[in-house]
Every structure is written in C-alpha cells, then in structure tokens.
Amino acid sequence: MHFDTFIIGHISKDIIKYYQGDTHEEIGGAVVAAAYAAEGSERKVGILTKTSEADKSLLDTTFSVPRDQIYYVPSIETTSIENYYHTLDRETRLLSAVGIADQYTMADIPDGIKAEVYHLAGLIEGDYDPELVVELSKRGKVAVDISGFMRRCFEDKSLKRVDWVDKEKYLPYITYFKVDAAEALVLTGEEDRYKAAEKIMEWGPKEVMITHNSEVLIHDGNEFYTSPYKARNLSGRTGRGDTTFSAYITERIDHDPQEAVLYASALVSIKMESPGPFKGSRKDVENYINEFYSSK
C-alpha cells in the first residue's frame, strides 16, 4: 500500500492539568495530531502505533483514517503523559511519564508499505531505534520530531530535554527535522532561532523547522521561510508543534517551502482555537488564509 505519509508513533493517554485547578484526560500524542492534520489536508495516511493489549480498542475511536490503514503492534505498556501548564499563555509546562510503550525497530515496519514521507512522531527518548532513521531513508523521505530522541524520562518520571548526542550521525539521513525554540537552544546553544537553524543545517538535514509561539521558521540551507500563527485563542494549544510539522511535510509533497509553511501555520491556527486535533478541511484552511493572511 502506498501512502503520502506513514506516521510511526505512540498514542498517549494524556492527563492535562492547569494551574487554575482544571484537569481533563484525552487520547493524544504526536501521531494523533499528525494524522488528523494530514488527513484533513486530503493526504493518504498510514499509521503504525503500539499500545498494551488492553488499550488496543482505542485505535477504533482515536483515528478517523480507515482501520486497514492503521498497523498495530502490541506493547507491554501504553504511553501516558501528564502535562501540567503553569502559565496563563500555556507556553510552559511540566511533563511526567505515567507509562512508556515499547520501542520501534525495523522489524515493526509492515511488509509492502511505501510512502512519500516516513514521519517519526515521537514523544519520549527511546521511542525509536535510531537505526530506523537510516533504514527508512533508503525507502523515502524521513521526517523526525526531535522529542522522540531528546525528551528523557528521569527516575522521578519527569520528562526533560537533553541533547541528542548522536545528532551529527543521524541528521544527514533526515529530510525534514522539527524542533521547538527551547529544543533548538538545547541542541545548538543558540537562542537566536535563525542562528540555531543554520547550525542544525550544518549537521546534514535537508530542511529544519523551528516552531515558536509567534511563528514557524523553515530553513533549507539557502533561504529562510516564516509564517505567523494567528489563532484567536489558545484553548487547543496542546499539539501545536505536531500538527504544524505534519501539515508542512505533507504540503511539501507538491508545494514549495513558502507555500507549505503558510498552509501549515494557518491550519494550526484553526486547530489552536479548539481542543483536540484538527478536524477541519483543506477548504477551511484556504478560507482562513484568505481571511487572516492575505493582504487586503
């Protein structure tokens, strides 16, 4: 089966807490946000995910893609993450792991799968055998969210960013590489996002994305491309980066970087205005661009 994007990542039983005292639970994870963004953009989506046997039924209700496009591998545990937002703008949060699903290796990749882009939508360091990056690059373009390689679970179950020590070894095999501004600082030591992007590009990826609360930045080694977020509220802030990355890499299949980053920022702006993954359509995104991005 051939897909525009084949997304490999754990769903997460998320516990969302806010400093005001509000708490709710939802099924999230980068793979969920990414799948909805790509499918809403009229792309053919394949998914590989792992949960415990007890949670396998979640796959029937979590995704909207046809069930035969979801590939399941059993895991001892299901990933579960507690997110505690302790500021009004929801830009800073404390993360802790309640459960961590098993690692992905090449043995988990189904036979007969072909894709334009293999998207590693990770959550926690250790989600992937890093050699998966090398092997998948022989089949197509590889897109990597750095969280699956630098968000470490410590003994107290807290999740904190650490440097990816093997970045220079594996980045040359990656087409699209996504970090947020805080992760870029840890990786490069640069607070300036443009300098951080330039430094990351020296390590070998084809394009780097850096997300920030104000905009999305793309660098392809020659030019910089940016587009702002224009959400009118942040009730759906969780999943911003995952949605942005998926919308961008699938739009890059048939659009240039500036067109793709504009589309991605508009789609995510819609998504941030309500909780949960993006549930709109390509037409909704086009209308949003015309209303909020086009010069009048």
Side-chain angles (χ1 to χ4, degrees), residues 5 130 153 174 185 202 270 293:
T5 181
C153 181
I174 296 171
L185 175 60
E202 291 174 1
I270 296 172
Y293 286 84

Side-chain angles (χ1 to χ4, degrees), residues 131-277:
E131 287 300 310
L132 191 63
V133 173
V134 178
E135 294 304 314
L136 288 176
S137 72
K138 299 173 183 178
R139 301 187 178 196
K141 297 175 181 178
V142 177
V144 170
D145 184 320
I146 191 57
S147 295
F149 293 92
M150 68 178 293
R151 185 185 282 162
R152 180 172 297 172
C153 181
F154 288 82
E155 288 187 10
D156 63 356
K157 301 301 181 182
S158 64
L159 296 172
K160 299 176 182 177
R161 302 178 185 93
V162 297
D163 191 14
W164 185 17
V165 295
D166 291 327
K167 55 183 179 284
E168 293 184 59
K169 178 179 180 180
Y170 292 107
L171 276 167
Y173 298 97
I174 296 171
T175 302
Y176 305 113
F177 184 63
K178 181 260 175 188
V179 298
D180 64 24
E183 292 164 339
L185 175 60
V186 173
L187 281 175
T188 68
E190 296 283 356
E191 291 191 11
D192 183 289
R193 297 192 300 281
Y194 288 80
K195 291 180 179 179
E198 289 178 328
K199 190 165 187 178
I200 292 170
M201 286 300 298
E202 291 174 1
W203 295 325
K206 302 299 185 293
E207 295 182 20
V208 60
M209 168 186 286
I210 301 181
T211 57
H212 182 261
N213 62 7
S214 62
E215 67 176 10
V216 192
L217 169 68
I218 302 293
H219 187 36
D220 64 1
N222 296 308
E223 302 290 336
F224 291 98
Y225 309 90
T226 63
S227 187
Y229 293 121
K230 297 198 174 186
R232 291 162 291 185
N233 72 78
L234 297 176
S235 60
R237 160 65 181 86
T238 303
R240 180 184 69 193
D242 306 320
T243 304
T244 304
F245 193 43
S246 179
Y248 178 78
I249 63 177
T250 53
E251 198 68 5
R252 281 289 286 118
I253 292 172
D254 45 22
H255 290 80
D256 65 33
Q258 188 60 66
E259 292 172 325
V261 74
L262 170 61
Y263 180 86
S265 63
L267 184 150
V268 177
S269 294
I270 296 172
K271 174 263 178 294
M272 285 196 289
E273 294 180 355
S274 58

